[in-house]
Amino acid sequence: MGKSKTTKFKRPQFNAVGLPVNAVKEAAEEEEEHGGDDDDCPAAELLEKLESPSADVRELACASISRVVQQSLTIPGLLQRDAVRRLGPMLLDGSLAVRETAAGALRNLSACGGQEVCEDMVKRDVMTPLTALLRECCAGFDGATVPMKEQKNPLDSVANEAVNLLWNLCESSNQALSMFNKSGLLDVVVQCLERHPHNVELATSAAHCLHTVTEDNPELLCSINCAVHGALDSVLLSNQPSLAHTLLKTLASGTLWNVKESLPTARQAQTLAAVLATLAKCLDLDAGELIPQLRQAEEARFSSSGMEEQAKGERAAVDEMDDGEEGAQNLKNEKDEDDFSDLLPREKEELREAAALLTAQQTSLEIIVNMCCSDDPSDDEWEESSSSDESEMAADGFSNPMSPLCLSAEVHGALINHNIPQKVLKKTQFPAQGAMDVCRQTPYWGSLIKKMQRVQSRALTCLHTILSSMDADSLGGAAALQEAAQHLSSLVFGAAEIPKDEEFLESVISAMRSLLQMTASKNIPQVISLQQLMSLSEAAACSDVISVRVNAVAILGITGSTLAKEKGSAETLQMIGNGLLQVATKDADLVVNGEALDALFDVFADGNEAETAAKNIQLLPALRTLQPVFKAKLRKAGREAYSPQQLCVLNNVKVNLRRFVGYLETVVNK
């Protein structure tokens, strides 16, 4: 039977909806067809103003470009006019205000443009002035006058925009990451992290950047020294109570995990304990309680400072933005809601805190997933493979989850000591209704709804990984597993209809598969009924997400192979067999077909009940008919449609199908 394992979480990549570089060429060709009148082009006018002798005009031009690029249709015109090379020198302008707005414009361009635009920006040498700017900022930190309370060092604001730009580029461009490794920018970003006692916003931006550049980057490990470790330790030891600091500590923990190999052996156990203690503390926070409290605090602050009228104006502005503000949606999409708190108005202190909390909890869960996953080279993408008795490959191209996935004794022990499985299970609950109501009723706060749902989905994925990495006894034994199964059942079947949200469905069905596999292997009675599982399979069949369909089929296989051992189960096996045959013959994806066949092999492999059911549903003639069709589809698909791992497993299925047909022929001729 095919098994599944969770892929490691990468730091968020920009969506493919980001503007491709070839769109710039298309825009240029279209402009040539229409004469390309620069005088009527806002982009041309704004770029011309960058040459103004007036710093105020240059600042205004940069700020205008920063807004304009949020409308993705304007980006081709800007890039075609070499906006990156013309904005680059503004990063080193004599005016700090111009530097800040220029960095902000390039930052928005990188965020709204997407991966290919980021790569194009690097090719246009944006890293050279950006590196120089960051070095100048950090050199000025020590000599700058300490600002009074409530005042920020202007260099910090410039550095914050620059670090965010660097972060965007490094998570989207391998060339930018390579330049980061070789140019000594690590020390610069660490200096920004060390500003956390004075400026948590800058430190958090630096922590995001460090968390990104240290992931799967062995070239950088040789540059990680005691100073870097010390800066990260200092963040973890900070006793600041704000939720912004919770996010900062979480990101520092993730970075320490990424660079664990650079730590002295004697320090590794201590660091692991500190990392998991930080993550556990973050997961202990109850967003369902804190979000309404933060909203109440905001209302009280508005009331005491006479800001009611301003709040009304903001509601109107948000309504107008919802009607047609494409730019804000672009930014939201490109960042994938992972961190939009720095895009919120400055006065939205409580909302920024709530956003920081949810980002911290999502990140904590992703770090735990990565702790439980091996460094398999195929972790870069889902590998929706399936296997039978000849392969340990998973339904997603990974190894058998019923054996620990390279989970060391130290990590296993630390996860148990900090009650991580129990904390993760608690986070799989639906977001609290009170918090959801507050967010639905309040402008700006509605942006938190998706983040709350994302935390739940990450928790379900994390639960799946924990179930794939630990043994039943470590997780509390039969009673605890049955309780977890009942909880998952309530999430899926508690409402009148099975939830259709694809991210939720993908994560919950993977957790359910791992749990059912574990309980089946331990002969623990199932608490989820067959009728529920069949309805889940029907709902999954309508999903566009391959892993949802693969896991639904696998669940039927697990259930069927367990029932095949029981007397009087032939009728039930017939129902399962017909469902699997339907998927094997009619699903459009070969991987799902292969998983369905694999499940059929397991369900009807042995036993009198299975033999009776196989004869009743005419399994042998059905598979004889399917065999040449599957073989032809596999040959036609070729290497372009599926990965090498998937093709390997599908070829195994093809071989096992031939053998299974031979086995059924023997059964019939008995």
Side-chain angles (χ1 to χ4, degrees):
M1 181 78 184
K3 312 300 191 293
S4 69
K5 172 200 162 187
T6 306
T7 182
K8 289 178 65 177
F9 277 108
K10 301 294 181 183
R11 297 312 307 148
Q13 295 291 319
F14 291 118
N15 286 336
V17 297
L19 185 75
V21 174
N22 60 13
V24 179
K25 299 176 183 177
E26 293 170 3
E29 291 170 0
E30 183 177 349
E31 181 174 300
E32 287 177 6
E33 291 176 7
H34 292 84
D37 187 355
D38 278 1
D39 294 336
D40 295 330
C41 178
E45 182 181 348
L46 291 173
L47 292 172
E48 286 297 325
K49 289 181 178 180
L50 295 178
E51 309 297 330
S52 171
S54 168
D56 289 341
V57 173
R58 297 196 301 275
E59 179 186 355
L60 180 61
C62 290
S64 298
I65 293 171
S66 184
R67 289 191 296 271
V68 164
V69 296
Q70 294 178 40
Q71 301 171 22
S72 60
L73 293 177
T74 67
I75 295 179
L78 283 164
L79 293 182
Q80 190 262 334
R81 289 174 175 80
D82 214 9
V84 176
R85 290 190 188 275
R86 297 171 76 171
L87 278 168
M90 299 295 102
L91 295 177
L92 301 174
D93 193 274
S95 164
L96 282 179
V98 173
R99 291 185 177 199
E100 181 179 353
T101 51
L106 288 166
R107 172 190 177 185
N108 283 0
L109 178 62
S110 67
C112 295
Q115 182 172 347
E116 291 193 41
V117 168
C118 285
E119 291 174 348
D120 188 58
M121 291 172 71
V122 175
K123 290 176 183 176
R124 293 172 188 262
D125 200 29
V126 73
M127 290 291 288
T128 297
L130 177 59
T131 300
L133 172 62
L134 283 166
R135 292 192 186 284
E136 287 192 20
C137 287
C138 292
F141 286 159
D142 295 334
T145 304
V146 176
M148 297 176 62
K149 191 176 181 180
E150 305 301 330
Q151 290 183 337
K152 285 187 178 179
N153 183 338
L155 282 176
D156 283 2
S157 299
V158 178
N160 186 56
E161 295 292 343
V163 169
N164 274 281
L165 172 58
L166 180 65
W167 171 29
N168 290 352
L169 295 173
C170 287
E171 74 177 358
S172 295
S173 166
N174 289 332
Q175 186 180 354
L177 187 60
S178 178
M179 294 173 74
F180 181 97
N181 292 343
K182 296 172 182 176
S183 61
L185 279 170
L186 174 64
D187 294 338
V188 172
V189 178
V190 169
Q191 279 186 266
C192 294
L193 178 69
E194 290 173 334
R195 300 287 291 172
H196 68 88
H198 312 292
N199 190 329
V200 69
E201 183 181 0
L202 171 59
T204 301
S205 298
H208 272 299
C209 187
L210 286 172
H211 194 202
T212 295
V213 299
T214 55
E215 184 166 26
D216 296 331
N217 187 2
E219 184 183 350
L220 189 63
L221 278 181
C222 60
S223 301
I224 305 295
N225 53 31
C226 293
V228 178
H229 296 153
L232 294 168
D233 289 341
S234 174
V235 171
L236 261 59
L237 293 171
S238 169
N239 57 8
Q240 295 291 335
S242 75
L243 296 174
H245 279 85
T246 296
L247 173 58
L248 178 63
K249 291 180 180 181
T250 301
L251 292 166
S253 296
T255 303
L256 277 169
W257 174 256
N258 289 344
V259 302
K260 59 187 179 296
E261 293 178 11
S262 68
L263 290 165
T265 304
R267 280 198 54 195
Q268 289 183 1
Q270 178 185 356
T271 300
L272 175 62
V275 165
L276 278 170
T278 301
L279 303 183
K281 187 174 181 180
C282 175
L283 293 177
D284 279 336
L285 296 172
D286 188 347
E289 290 184 4
L290 288 171
I291 287 176
Q293 291 174 10
L294 287 166
R295 174 55 187 151
Q296 289 174 3
E298 181 183 68
E299 287 181 328
R301 182 168 59 85
F302 279 4
S303 177
S304 64
S305 58
M307 296 177 70
E308 294 93 338
E309 291 302 317
Q310 178 181 336
K312 290 178 182 177
E314 287 173 358
R315 291 188 184 94
V318 170
D319 291 340
E320 181 180 348
M321 180 178 67
D322 289 342
D323 289 337
E325 190 67 41
E326 179 188 6
Q329 187 63 39
N330 283 342
L331 268 179
K332 184 166 175 272
N333 287 342
E334 294 307 330
K335 275 300 187 184
D336 199 23
E337 291 91 30
D338 284 291
D339 182 25
F340 62 85
S341 58
D342 55 338
L343 303 174
L344 296 170
R346 294 287 181 187
E347 66 274 9
K348 294 289 182 182
E349 300 169 13
E350 294 81 6
L351 179 53
R352 293 165 72 90
E353 283 279 278
L357 166 63
L358 295 173
T359 301
Q361 293 192 333
Q362 176 184 329
T363 305
S364 294
L365 292 163
E366 291 173 358
I367 293 168
I368 295 167
V369 168
N370 291 350
M371 285 182 171
C372 295
C373 288
S374 66
D375 294 326
D376 192 307
S378 63
D379 282 351
D380 288 339
E381 60 181 276
W382 283 92
E383 302 290 355
E384 305 299 349
S385 311
S386 63
S387 65
S388 188
D389 57 340
E390 292 190 353
S391 175
E392 290 295 322
M393 295 295 289
D396 306 314
F398 297 106
S399 56
N400 185 343
M402 297 318 299
S403 57
L405 299 173
C406 301
L407 192 60
S408 69
E410 292 78 12
V411 173
H412 182 281
L415 290 170
I416 297 300
N417 290 340
H418 289 89
N419 297 317
I420 295 298
Q422 292 82 358
K423 296 178 192 295
V424 169
L425 183 63
K426 190 173 182 180
K427 290 300 176 188
T428 64
Q429 298 173 352
F430 284 116
Q433 192 60 48
M436 295 286 281
D437 290 343
V438 164
C439 293
R440 289 191 183 103
Q441 296 165 5
T442 312
Y444 282 113
W445 288 71
S447 55
L448 298 180
I449 292 176
K450 183 62 178 176
K451 290 183 72 68
M452 285 190 281
Q453 295 169 337
R454 178 68 48 78
V455 169
Q456 182 196 24
S457 294
R458 289 293 189 267
L460 286 164
T461 301
C462 193
L463 177 63
H464 160 56
T465 312
I466 287 172
L467 289 166
S468 301
S469 307
M470 295 186 177
D471 57 85
D473 292 338
S474 297
L475 297 173
L481 293 175
Q482 287 184 313
E483 184 178 345
Q486 193 66 55
H487 169 65
L488 293 181
S489 176
S490 69
L491 292 180
V492 177
F493 307 110
E497 293 185 357
I498 293 175
K500 292 182 174 60
D501 179 80
E502 287 186 343
E503 186 172 12
F504 169 79
L505 196 58
E506 182 177 20
S507 56
V508 74
I509 202 169
S510 66
M512 192 174 287
R513 173 182 179 171
S514 293
L515 183 56
L516 290 175
Q517 182 69 55
M518 179 175 282
T519 55
S521 70
K522 297 295 182 181
N523 295 319
I524 298 172
Q526 289 189 15
V527 298
I528 305 175
S529 71
L530 178 62
Q531 289 73 20
Q532 289 176 324
L533 294 178
M534 292 300 293
S535 65
L536 177 63
S537 178
E538 291 173 5
C542 302
S543 174
D544 292 332
V545 180
I546 293 175
S547 64
V548 170
R549 306 203 302 274
V550 164
N551 282 323
V553 166
I555 286 173
L556 284 183
I558 294 167
T559 305
S561 60
T562 301
L563 288 173
K565 303 171 186 175
E566 300 177 5
K567 289 185 178 180
S569 61
E571 187 175 345
T572 303
L573 294 179
Q574 289 173 209
M575 182 169 58
I576 292 175
N578 282 325
L580 292 173
L581 272 175
Q582 183 86 354
V583 175
T585 55
K586 295 189 176 181
D587 195 282
D589 192 277
L590 257 182
V591 169
V592 185
N593 301 149
E595 182 69 31
L597 287 170
D598 197 42
L600 283 167
F601 303 157
D602 280 353
V603 173
F604 296 97
D606 190 27
N608 294 331
E609 299 295 331
E611 290 179 11
T612 301
K615 291 176 182 177
N616 290 342
I617 65 172
Q618 298 293 299
L619 183 59
L620 177 57
L623 291 182
R624 279 175 173 164
T625 302
L626 179 58
Q627 190 173 3
V629 176
F630 183 81
K631 185 177 180 180
K633 286 172 69 176
L634 181 57
R635 188 187 308 112
K636 183 178 179 181
R639 298 184 178 275
E640 294 182 1
Y642 299 98
S643 70
Q645 291 86 357
Q646 290 172 325
L647 289 173
C648 176
V649 175
L650 288 170
N651 277 312
N652 281 341
V653 172
K654 180 185 70 174
V655 171
N656 291 334
L657 175 57
R658 185 182 70 247
R659 292 175 177 176
F660 191 69
V661 167
Y663 161 74
L664 289 177
E665 290 172 342
T666 303
V667 171
V668 169
N669 294 329
K670 274 206 272 186

